[in-house]
Amino acid sequence: MPPKDKEILKEKEVLQAVVVDDLLSTDFPFSGPKGLLRLANVRLLDYTLSCLSAAGVEQTLVYAAQGSEQLQEHVRASGWGEPGAMAVQVVACQGSLTFGDLMRELDARNAIQGDFFLLTADTVCTADLRPLLLRHRATCARDKNAVVTLAFAQAEPQHAARTEPKQLLLGTAASGRVLAHQRLDPDARNLDLPLDLILQGPGVELRYDLSDPCLAVCSLAVPPIFSDNFDFQTRDDFVRGLLLNEDILGHTMYAHILQDEYASRAHSLPSYLATSVDVIRRWTFPLTPDVSLSQVDRGYRLDVVFNICKQSDVSIGRSDVEDCVIGEGSVIGDNCRLRLCVIGKNCVIHDDVDLCGAVLWDQCVVKKGFKKSHFLAPERTVLSKNNDKSISVKVEERMDSVDSDTDSSEDEGEAADEVDEYENFFNEVQDSLERGFGEKVNTDDLVVEINSSRFANDIPANEVSLWVSKVVLGLPAALKKPPKDVLAYFRPILRKYVGKASADHLNCLLALEVSAQNIFSHAKPFKNNKIAECNSFVCLIKRMINLKKN
Amino acid sequence: MSQFTEIRNKLAFNIKHGNIQGSLEVAKATANFVDLIASSDGWTVASDLLKIVNDEGKKLTTALPLHATVANVLLQLMHIIRAEYYYAVNQSTQAVQRFVESCMNCEEIQEKKFSAQCPGLKDAILDHIAEYRTELDLSVDNITEQAAEQIQPGEVIMTIGRSSIVAAFLQAKKAAEHLSDFQVIVAEGAPQCEGVKMAELLAKSKIQTTLISDTNIYSFMSRVTKVILGTNLVLRSGGLRALPGAHMVGLVAHEHKVPVIVVAPTYKFSSMLSESHQSDNETFNLLANPKGVAKFKDGIIASNVKVLNPMYDFVPPDYVSQVVSNIGTYGVSHMFTAINELYGAVEESAKDLKMAVV
């Protein structure tokens, strides 16, 4: 039996939450921290803190990648953190940019005492989080290896809230343990699942009707996992990493599906616009501007008949306005049609404007006759019809095109980056070798150039020989010199890179194959030329064999 | 930040998150809070006390916009403080009566600065607040005592949704006369469907209960002899702010000439005039979460359909016959005077607590 004084000295367990305020997506023309982005004219951080306060969280730590002073000021002005209410602490993390970096900071500061809620600053959730916490504790009591319970909201496929380019496929066992977590391409026709999934026994569920609000309950073991794995940058990395290493490290994850509750994220432009509409449509009640969500952005009154949530001093002309949130001092003209719009403070909307699903931040001006739907206009934009020479239409169009094309352009960009490295390397090596041949540079210097190129483009060691061989074999055609001379000149380079290793030999043969294909594909369909090409190709092979002998 | 900040925040948290359940408990907790302020040393003249209560009250009601009881209790207690001051200054009950009557004339009130020093004022105020709190404690009993006269044998009573005070009212009648054979028809009160819980409560007390859907209210009304309603607020006009569906019950009852009796303790009497009461940031009604009506996960509904789920219903005073409260039974036309006694003039109390009273 433990001595009595130790019991008295034991610290009362404080329920904590960590809000990760990582870098805002570049979609948004906003320079502040993510927590201060306005959703329906109220800062995102207020939504998150309200949700946590409702769950009885006693201490919230906000880890901010940037703008921590602004966040601190907002917290103070809003009255969060007063005695008796939830304590809110903003932690500035210099140099940390991603979710993973901020979690590593969390681990370094050792601020966590037990189970804690983990959310991002852009999570909007009306669910009562207490059942989630209870479920996590019950799971941990049953399964000693459980480290995190992820919460998911339900949203059928084709739902407007599912704005991610790749949708989530979740596989769970009967106990709720996560067995598979994949992001699927909407056009994918096949999917790969681990065999373990099928072998788990009855009650295995595969769900494609979930959206991920980035909400979870974590145990003490989670921050060290981020420190141990430096390549965990996003939450998806973490989830995938845990799943992959389940056998080695033994950590398990569980999933909790929120029933009939609203939870979503506003991290990208499409999801931000979708969440704005949800707030207007009251799905996030009681997290709505008129129900005292924020001490700073207050004074919203709801007109029940037309669902207009507006502050004082708003003047609306003879217009058809329905389902809107309007900030103070805004003026709306006659003959307008506004639906599902969020209008900031002191905006001016002239006559004959038709907007649907628009989000206008403070002090925007919309000129007469403007008509558009589903866009974001940053502060002080002037919007007018295309044939008007207003400056900011370009800004607003960029927002819109990002909205519709965001998925494809993102994918292209990524793929392009990867290929670029090899292409870069290829081009650089080709340039140096061509120049080297022309100026009769010493091959050792050329080797140095190739090496520096290689490190600059981060080419793995086992692929260098492939690319160098490709370059060298393509040089005779590029330089329009006889292969004999070219190959003889570059023999030392080939010898250096295609050494004794059989992998290198294979690479070289592959390069040979590719070069041969190139030669034949470019060859004109005239018999003579083809023979000429064949001859040069045979020549090449002979040269290669001779090289090998040396 | 004041000495009461921590207590106020804890109170707001407890009320908001269900640790304090039911409007009676909320009213008691709020009265407790004002008592704490009045018994503290932070004030010497009445104007100071009024200012502190006003400031703390403003912050409390801003944190709890969906709890009208909090605002009601605060306003009623502020009126009590003013009345006590007036009595202390003039030392006569007649003066207080004149004060109450003069409440229609707000210029007189404005002239009174409430800043004269009055020995014994603090004790008088504390006594009066203690009386108020006792009244709160006895409110349920005072109401249920009247059940015996209100309900006759063989009555068929209709109610909608769940109201703990109406349940207590009916249970008291049953307890008083075991053989009284009244029966109760409970309308479920969609989308909250709290009527189901009400039917359970009544059935446990062996009252003959029928549960019906809201759509059948009209068809059952021909058998009903009395409608007994609970409410969120009773307005100065005698109208009600009640749960959705109450207007329909009142309308149908009015058409069938069935009397409608509202059971409401004084902390549900509101200083709001009517449903179109306009002031800085008061709203009569709110649109609540549509999740009771439709599911968010249904993509077609969530993206394309406007789902309305209003929080309250307005019942016009024409549909209400009587209000049974702990200070007696009032005909609906007397509500205005009764509420004036609690709050003072419309103009005067409108200046109090400029905050989000919902």
Side-chain angles (χ1 to χ4, degrees), chain A residues 391-418:
Chain A
I391 312 163
S392 55
V393 169
K394 213 171 33 165
V395 172
E396 161 268 318
E397 263 187 26
R398 173 169 62 87
M399 292 303 126
D400 191 25
S401 60
V402 169
D403 173 17
S404 48
D405 297 339
T406 185
D407 320 334
S408 51
S409 61
E410 260 180 35
D411 280 348
E412 271 171 19
E414 264 179 32
D417 275 337
E418 274 182 299

mmCIF file of all heavy atoms in Angstrom, chain A residues 391-418:
data_model
loop_
_atom_site.group_PDB
_atom_site.id
_atom_site.type_symbol
_atom_site.label_atom_id
_atom_site.label_comp_id
_atom_site.label_asym_id
_atom_site.label_seq_id
_atom_site.Cartn_x
_atom_site.Cartn_y
_atom_site.Cartn_z
ATOM 1 N N ILE A 391 -8.188 45.735 -61.328
ATOM 2 C CA ILE A 391 -6.951 44.972 -61.138
ATOM 3 C C ILE A 391 -7.222 43.615 -60.528
ATOM 4 O O ILE A 391 -6.685 42.619 -60.923
ATOM 5 C CB ILE A 391 -5.995 45.730 -60.194
ATOM 6 C CG1 ILE A 391 -5.874 47.173 -60.635
ATOM 7 C CG2 ILE A 391 -4.653 45.048 -60.140
ATOM 8 C CD1 ILE A 391 -5.307 48.067 -59.593
ATOM 9 N N SER A 392 -8.069 43.610 -59.551
ATOM 10 C CA SER A 392 -8.122 42.420 -58.728
ATOM 11 C C SER A 392 -8.895 41.260 -59.311
ATOM 12 O O SER A 392 -8.915 40.209 -58.730
ATOM 13 C CB SER A 392 -8.732 42.787 -57.389
ATOM 14 O OG SER A 392 -9.969 43.374 -57.676
ATOM 15 N N VAL A 393 -9.485 41.416 -60.443
ATOM 16 C CA VAL A 393 -10.172 40.258 -61.038
ATOM 17 C C VAL A 393 -9.176 39.129 -61.249
ATOM 18 O O VAL A 393 -9.457 37.973 -61.068
ATOM 19 C CB VAL A 393 -10.827 40.638 -62.380
ATOM 20 C CG1 VAL A 393 -11.299 39.408 -63.103
ATOM 21 C CG2 VAL A 393 -11.999 41.552 -62.134
ATOM 22 N N LYS A 394 -7.957 39.486 -61.602
ATOM 23 C CA LYS A 394 -6.913 38.471 -61.796
ATOM 24 C C LYS A 394 -6.696 37.698 -60.505
ATOM 25 O O LYS A 394 -6.612 36.500 -60.504
ATOM 26 C CB LYS A 394 -5.618 39.193 -62.198
ATOM 27 C CG LYS A 394 -4.774 38.383 -63.135
ATOM 28 C CD LYS A 394 -3.589 39.129 -63.726
ATOM 29 C CE LYS A 394 -2.964 40.153 -62.831
ATOM 30 N NZ LYS A 394 -1.647 40.586 -63.300
ATOM 31 N N VAL A 395 -6.636 38.420 -59.419
ATOM 32 C CA VAL A 395 -6.429 37.769 -58.116
ATOM 33 C C VAL A 395 -7.539 36.793 -57.856
ATOM 34 O O VAL A 395 -7.318 35.648 -57.504
ATOM 35 C CB VAL A 395 -6.427 38.827 -56.984
ATOM 36 C CG1 VAL A 395 -6.399 38.146 -55.639
ATOM 37 C CG2 VAL A 395 -5.228 39.730 -57.142
ATOM 38 N N GLU A 396 -8.744 37.284 -58.072
ATOM 39 C CA GLU A 396 -9.902 36.461 -57.741
ATOM 40 C C GLU A 396 -10.013 35.297 -58.691
ATOM 41 O O GLU A 396 -10.383 34.207 -58.324
ATOM 42 C CB GLU A 396 -11.124 37.378 -57.743
ATOM 43 C CG GLU A 396 -12.447 36.697 -57.870
ATOM 44 C CD GLU A 396 -12.902 36.582 -59.290
ATOM 45 O OE1 GLU A 396 -12.743 37.547 -60.029
ATOM 46 O OE2 GLU A 396 -13.400 35.516 -59.651
ATOM 47 N N GLU A 397 -9.610 35.516 -59.958
ATOM 48 C CA GLU A 397 -9.656 34.385 -60.889
ATOM 49 C C GLU A 397 -8.648 33.335 -60.515
ATOM 50 O O GLU A 397 -8.885 32.160 -60.631
ATOM 51 C CB GLU A 397 -9.352 34.884 -62.308
ATOM 52 C CG GLU A 397 -10.612 35.130 -63.098
ATOM 53 C CD GLU A 397 -10.323 35.455 -64.545
ATOM 54 O OE1 GLU A 397 -9.273 35.026 -65.046
ATOM 55 O OE2 GLU A 397 -11.144 36.135 -65.143
ATOM 56 N N ARG A 398 -7.505 33.809 -60.035
ATOM 57 C CA ARG A 398 -6.488 32.829 -59.619
ATOM 58 C C ARG A 398 -7.052 31.948 -58.520
ATOM 59 O O ARG A 398 -6.874 30.751 -58.524
ATOM 60 C CB ARG A 398 -5.233 33.566 -59.144
ATOM 61 C CG ARG A 398 -4.193 32.646 -58.541
ATOM 62 C CD ARG A 398 -2.872 33.361 -58.340
ATOM 63 N NE ARG A 398 -2.990 34.475 -57.424
ATOM 64 C CZ ARG A 398 -2.882 34.382 -56.120
ATOM 65 N NH1 ARG A 398 -2.644 33.235 -55.561
ATOM 66 N NH2 ARG A 398 -3.002 35.446 -55.356
ATOM 67 N N MET A 399 -7.749 32.580 -57.592
ATOM 68 C CA MET A 399 -8.364 31.817 -56.516
ATOM 69 C C MET A 399 -9.312 30.782 -57.093
ATOM 70 O O MET A 399 -9.316 29.639 -56.713
ATOM 71 C CB MET A 399 -9.192 32.733 -55.605
ATOM 72 C CG MET A 399 -8.384 33.705 -54.800
ATOM 73 S SD MET A 399 -7.186 32.890 -53.781
ATOM 74 C CE MET A 399 -5.751 33.726 -54.297
ATOM 75 N N ASP A 400 -10.109 31.254 -58.062
ATOM 76 C CA ASP A 400 -11.128 30.368 -58.616
ATOM 77 C C ASP A 400 -10.498 29.216 -59.363
ATOM 78 O O ASP A 400 -10.901 28.084 -59.246
ATOM 79 C CB ASP A 400 -12.031 31.187 -59.540
ATOM 80 C CG ASP A 400 -13.257 30.391 -59.929
ATOM 81 O OD1 ASP A 400 -13.620 29.485 -59.167
ATOM 82 O OD2 ASP A 400 -13.811 30.663 -60.983
ATOM 83 N N SER A 401 -9.467 29.545 -60.150
ATOM 84 C CA SER A 401 -8.875 28.462 -60.935
ATOM 85 C C SER A 401 -8.147 27.503 -60.021
ATOM 86 O O SER A 401 -8.090 26.321 -60.264
ATOM 87 C CB SER A 401 -7.933 29.030 -61.991
ATOM 88 O OG SER A 401 -6.904 29.752 -61.355
ATOM 89 N N VAL A 402 -7.591 28.021 -58.963
ATOM 90 C CA VAL A 402 -6.965 27.101 -58.002
ATOM 91 C C VAL A 402 -8.037 26.195 -57.437
ATOM 92 O O VAL A 402 -7.834 25.004 -57.270
ATOM 93 C CB VAL A 402 -6.286 27.883 -56.850
ATOM 94 C CG1 VAL A 402 -5.881 26.943 -55.747
ATOM 95 C CG2 VAL A 402 -5.062 28.606 -57.377
ATOM 96 N N ASP A 403 -9.184 26.792 -57.191
ATOM 97 C CA ASP A 403 -10.306 26.029 -56.647
ATOM 98 C C ASP A 403 -10.643 24.842 -57.524
ATOM 99 O O ASP A 403 -10.749 23.722 -57.069
ATOM 100 C CB ASP A 403 -11.501 26.986 -56.508
ATOM 101 C CG ASP A 403 -12.771 26.273 -56.117
ATOM 102 O OD1 ASP A 403 -12.702 25.129 -55.648
ATOM 103 O OD2 ASP A 403 -13.823 26.862 -56.276
ATOM 104 N N SER A 404 -10.761 25.111 -58.846
ATOM 105 C CA SER A 404 -11.212 24.003 -59.686
ATOM 106 C C SER A 404 -10.073 23.108 -60.129
ATOM 107 O O SER A 404 -10.241 21.922 -60.287
ATOM 108 C CB SER A 404 -11.947 24.540 -60.908
ATOM 109 O OG SER A 404 -11.161 25.566 -61.490
ATOM 110 N N ASP A 405 -8.886 23.679 -60.323
ATOM 111 C CA ASP A 405 -7.801 22.867 -60.873
ATOM 112 C C ASP A 405 -6.810 22.426 -59.836
ATOM 113 O O ASP A 405 -5.759 21.927 -60.167
ATOM 114 C CB ASP A 405 -7.034 23.674 -61.940
ATOM 115 C CG ASP A 405 -7.937 24.011 -63.100
ATOM 116 O OD1 ASP A 405 -8.958 23.325 -63.260
ATOM 117 O OD2 ASP A 405 -7.629 24.966 -63.805
ATOM 118 N N THR A 406 -7.115 22.652 -58.603
ATOM 119 C CA THR A 406 -6.070 22.445 -57.598
ATOM 120 C C THR A 406 -5.534 21.026 -57.603
ATOM 121 O O THR A 406 -4.353 20.800 -57.418
ATOM 122 C CB THR A 406 -6.602 22.820 -56.194
ATOM 123 O OG1 THR A 406 -5.567 22.738 -55.263
ATOM 124 C CG2 THR A 406 -7.710 21.893 -55.799
ATOM 125 N N ASP A 407 -6.419 20.053 -57.828
ATOM 126 C CA ASP A 407 -5.953 18.667 -57.753
ATOM 127 C C ASP A 407 -4.958 18.352 -58.846
ATOM 128 O O ASP A 407 -3.847 17.915 -58.601
ATOM 129 C CB ASP A 407 -7.131 17.706 -57.872
ATOM 130 C CG ASP A 407 -8.314 18.209 -57.108
ATOM 131 O OD1 ASP A 407 -8.090 18.950 -56.151
ATOM 132 O OD2 ASP A 407 -9.444 17.863 -57.471
ATOM 133 N N SER A 408 -5.353 18.595 -60.104
ATOM 134 C CA SER A 408 -4.495 18.161 -61.210
ATOM 135 C C SER A 408 -3.176 18.915 -61.205
ATOM 136 O O SER A 408 -2.131 18.345 -61.429
ATOM 137 C CB SER A 408 -5.200 18.347 -62.540
ATOM 138 O OG SER A 408 -5.701 19.656 -62.606
ATOM 139 N N SER A 409 -3.224 20.203 -60.911
ATOM 140 C CA SER A 409 -1.963 20.961 -60.963
ATOM 141 C C SER A 409 -1.032 20.497 -59.868
ATOM 142 O O SER A 409 0.168 20.414 -60.049
ATOM 143 C CB SER A 409 -2.210 22.462 -60.839
ATOM 144 O OG SER A 409 -2.826 22.729 -59.604
ATOM 145 N N GLU A 410 -1.599 20.136 -58.719
ATOM 146 C CA GLU A 410 -0.746 19.669 -57.619
ATOM 147 C C GLU A 410 -0.034 18.405 -58.031
ATOM 148 O O GLU A 410 1.151 18.243 -57.843
ATOM 149 C CB GLU A 410 -1.597 19.359 -56.393
ATOM 150 C CG GLU A 410 -1.575 20.450 -55.365
ATOM 151 C CD GLU A 410 -2.426 20.075 -54.176
ATOM 152 O OE1 GLU A 410 -2.470 18.902 -53.817
ATOM 153 O OE2 GLU A 410 -3.038 20.988 -53.627
ATOM 154 N N ASP A 411 -0.796 17.472 -58.627
ATOM 155 C CA ASP A 411 -0.198 16.198 -59.010
ATOM 156 C C ASP A 411 0.884 16.400 -60.042
ATOM 157 O O ASP A 411 1.973 15.872 -59.940
ATOM 158 C CB ASP A 411 -1.275 15.268 -59.600
ATOM 159 C CG ASP A 411 -2.082 14.623 -58.493
ATOM 160 O OD1 ASP A 411 -1.651 14.723 -57.344
ATOM 161 O OD2 ASP A 411 -3.136 14.053 -58.805
ATOM 162 N N GLU A 412 0.560 17.213 -61.037
ATOM 163 C CA GLU A 412 1.543 17.452 -62.095
ATOM 164 C C GLU A 412 2.823 17.999 -61.524
ATOM 165 O O GLU A 412 3.912 17.599 -61.866
ATOM 166 C CB GLU A 412 1.004 18.475 -63.100
ATOM 167 C CG GLU A 412 0.219 17.866 -64.224
ATOM 168 C CD GLU A 412 -0.457 18.953 -65.055
ATOM 169 O OE1 GLU A 412 -0.043 20.112 -64.974
ATOM 170 O OE2 GLU A 412 -1.409 18.614 -65.764
ATOM 171 N N GLY A 413 2.627 18.965 -60.637
ATOM 172 C CA GLY A 413 3.805 19.625 -60.057
ATOM 173 C C GLY A 413 4.709 18.624 -59.384
ATOM 174 O O GLY A 413 5.905 18.595 -59.580
ATOM 175 N N GLU A 414 4.078 17.732 -58.615
ATOM 176 C CA GLU A 414 4.869 16.747 -57.878
ATOM 177 C C GLU A 414 5.615 15.848 -58.818
ATOM 178 O O GLU A 414 6.798 15.612 -58.688
ATOM 179 C CB GLU A 414 3.936 15.880 -57.037
ATOM 180 C CG GLU A 414 3.812 16.335 -55.626
ATOM 181 C CD GLU A 414 2.854 15.460 -54.872
ATOM 182 O OE1 GLU A 414 2.780 14.272 -55.178
ATOM 183 O OE2 GLU A 414 2.174 15.992 -54.003
ATOM 184 N N ALA A 415 4.881 15.287 -59.777
ATOM 185 C CA ALA A 415 5.497 14.345 -60.706
ATOM 186 C C ALA A 415 6.607 15.050 -61.467
ATOM 187 O O ALA A 415 7.695 14.507 -61.637
ATOM 188 C CB ALA A 415 4.458 13.792 -61.663
ATOM 189 N N ALA A 416 6.337 16.256 -61.878
ATOM 190 C CA ALA A 416 7.334 17.000 -62.657
ATOM 191 C C ALA A 416 8.614 17.161 -61.858
ATOM 192 O O ALA A 416 9.707 17.025 -62.388
ATOM 193 C CB ALA A 416 6.778 18.351 -63.061
ATOM 194 N N ASP A 417 8.475 17.417 -60.586
ATOM 195 C CA ASP A 417 9.659 17.633 -59.751
ATOM 196 C C ASP A 417 10.547 16.410 -59.753
ATOM 197 O O ASP A 417 11.759 16.499 -59.859
ATOM 198 C CB ASP A 417 9.243 17.923 -58.302
ATOM 199 C CG ASP A 417 8.934 19.398 -58.138
ATOM 200 O OD1 ASP A 417 9.446 20.181 -58.955
ATOM 201 O OD2 ASP A 417 8.194 19.744 -57.224
ATOM 202 N N GLU A 418 9.897 15.237 -59.589
ATOM 203 C CA GLU A 418 10.688 14.012 -59.508
ATOM 204 C C GLU A 418 11.478 13.800 -60.783
ATOM 205 O O GLU A 418 12.663 13.529 -60.767
ATOM 206 C CB GLU A 418 9.752 12.818 -59.310
ATOM 207 C CG GLU A 418 9.419 12.570 -57.867
ATOM 208 C CD GLU A 418 8.537 11.354 -57.736
ATOM 209 O OE1 GLU A 418 7.435 11.383 -58.289
ATOM 210 O OE2 GLU A 418 8.966 10.397 -57.101
#
